[in-house]
Structure formats: structure tokens, C-alpha cells
Amino acid sequence: MNAERIVFRTGKTTALVLLEESDAPQLTRWINDPEITRFLTVFTPNTLEEEIEWIKKISSRQPNEFIWGIWQLAEKRLIGTMGLHRISYRDRVATTGAIIGEKDCWGQGFGRDAKMQLLDFAFNTLNLRKICSSVLAFNERSFRYSLACGYQEEGRRKLQLFSDGQYRDEIFLAVFREDWLPLWAEYQQSKIQEEVK
Ligand SMILES: CC(C)(COP(=O)(O)OP(=O)(O)OC[C@H]1O[C@@H](n2cnc3c(N)ncnc32)[C@H](O)[C@@H]1OP(=O)(O)O)[C@@H](O)C(=O)NCCC(=O)NCCS
């Protein structure tokens, strides 16, 4: 672990770390990359100054929104960001979003590892009961990673969003705490076994 980073949660292959202003150039590169933004609702150019402001304002958005960096433990580098948004402490629900900006890291389980840490915070610290997400139907990787974290499909909006020259279905997903707890127990057990090896 890089002693310079402030770690919030440590998983098997990733840690959730606090974002720093010096991360802004990397975040700006990711948020302007069409291979990434085709999966998001962000589509206009974002400047370095805007990203610096976005990072600076993170603490002012608490307690209704939390955002972290995803840190790859083996390579000691920042590979993405992940957030818990629109937290309602009355309904005890929130939504999540993630970007793994370093594309060589896609599909290797880093997203799932980071998301399990985030869900632990959401369910076991904040006492939320249901976490939602939405994905464009053609984003199979995001859909599969969500299912691997316990999310289930709740419904679809047909041809709702325009991306990459086509209207796309938007899939709504959600995970309830009681459905996630067995996955968390399994995840923690395998983490302990890996640490003992
Ligand atoms: C979506 C994202 C956060 C997922 O993180 P990740 O580390 O790539 O995902 P994981 O490796 O943890 O899980 C990927 C799952 O999809 C599968 N997968 C990997 N590549 C895939 C592909 N090209 N198509 C379909 N499934 C794929 C994996 O096998 C795994 O499923 P499994 O658990 O059933 O085996 C990341 O890929 C990303 O940031 N993508 C670009 C931006 C984005 O789409 N953000 C989310 C918007 S809703």
C-alpha cells in the first residue's frame, strides 16, 4: 500500500482510497475517453479545472454522497472511482456508480472487489437496506459485475438513452441487504483464506 494514500477500506485486490486533487489529471483523462463515456450519461468535454473542483467539493456533499478512488493493491496505482450517491436516510436507499478508467484493468474482478467494500460500508456502517444502480443494456460487463455483487434486475426502460449512435434500453438494478449478506460472508471467508496462504 502506498503510505501516501488515505485508505478507507481494503479488499482483496483493491482498496477504496480518498481522492486527492493530484488525481485530477488522471480523472480528466478517463472522463473524456469515448470508450468509457459510451457507458455513462456524461458526454461533453470536462476540463482539468472542473475535475479539480469536483474533487474539492466531495467533502461538502457528505453525508448524502461519498466518492472514493479505486486503488489497485498489486500495482499501487489508482485505476478508477466509485461512489455512493443520492443517499436517503429516511428510505435507507442509495445509488452507486463506478468507473474503472484504466482499461487494461477491465474484467479482472477489481470492480467487484471494490464494490463489495462499498456495499459493506453502505449496509453495515450506514445501515442502508437497498442499493440501486442502472446500466445501459449493451454494457454487459457492468451488468455481470452488478449481478456478481448481488444486484438483481428490477426493470427496464425501453430505448431510453442515446449512446454510440443508437437508442439503448436502460436496466434498473438493486441489491437488498439480506440478499447481499450471504455473498459478503462468502467473500470475507475467501479473503481470510487468501491472507493465510
Ligand atoms: C463496469 C466496471 C466498473 C466493472 O468493473 P470490472 O472490474 O471490469 O468488473 P469485474 O471484473 O469485477 O466483473 C466483470 C464481470 O463481467 C464479466 N466480463 C468481463 N468482461 C466482459 C465482457 N466484455 N462482456 C461481458 N462480461 C464481461 C466478468 O467475467 C465478470 O463476470 P463474472 O463475475 O460473471 O465472471 C468497469 O468495467 C468499468 O468501469 N467500465 C467502464 C465504465 C462503466 O461501464 N461504468 C459503469 C457504468 S453503469
Side-chain angles (χ1 to χ4, degrees), residues 36 39-40 98-100 105-113 134-135 139-142 144-145 148:
I36 295 174
F39 298 121
L40 310 176
I99 297 172
I100 293 190
C105 289
W106 286 356
Q108 295 182 51
F110 297 123
R112 178 172 194 250
D113 189 64
S134 73
V135 304
N139 193 354
E140 287 174 33
R141 192 183 299 107
S142 184
R144 295 254 313 263
Y145 120 100

Side-chain angles (χ1 to χ4, degrees), residues 152-164:
Q152 292 181 10
E153 184 174 333
E154 288 200 309
R156 285 181 186 234
R157 275 189 154 172
K158 295 282 178 196
L159 304 178
Q160 176 70 11
L161 299 170
F162 191 73
S163 173
D164 247 4

Side-chain angles (χ1 to χ4, degrees), residues 144-188:
R144 295 254 313 263
Y145 120 100
S146 301
L147 298 185
C149 294
Y151 289 75
Q152 292 181 10
E153 184 174 333
E154 288 200 309
R156 285 181 186 234
R157 275 189 154 172
K158 295 282 178 196
L159 304 178
Q160 176 70 11
L161 299 170
F162 191 73
S163 173
D164 247 4
Q166 285 182 41
Y167 290 100
R168 314 277 186 172
D169 288 0
E170 183 180 19
I171 307 177
F172 293 91
L173 297 147
V175 54
F176 284 89
R177 183 172 189 266
E178 60 267 27
D179 296 328
W180 172 84
L181 283 174
L183 287 179
W184 178 238
E186 201 179 297
Y187 171 88
Q188 279 179 305

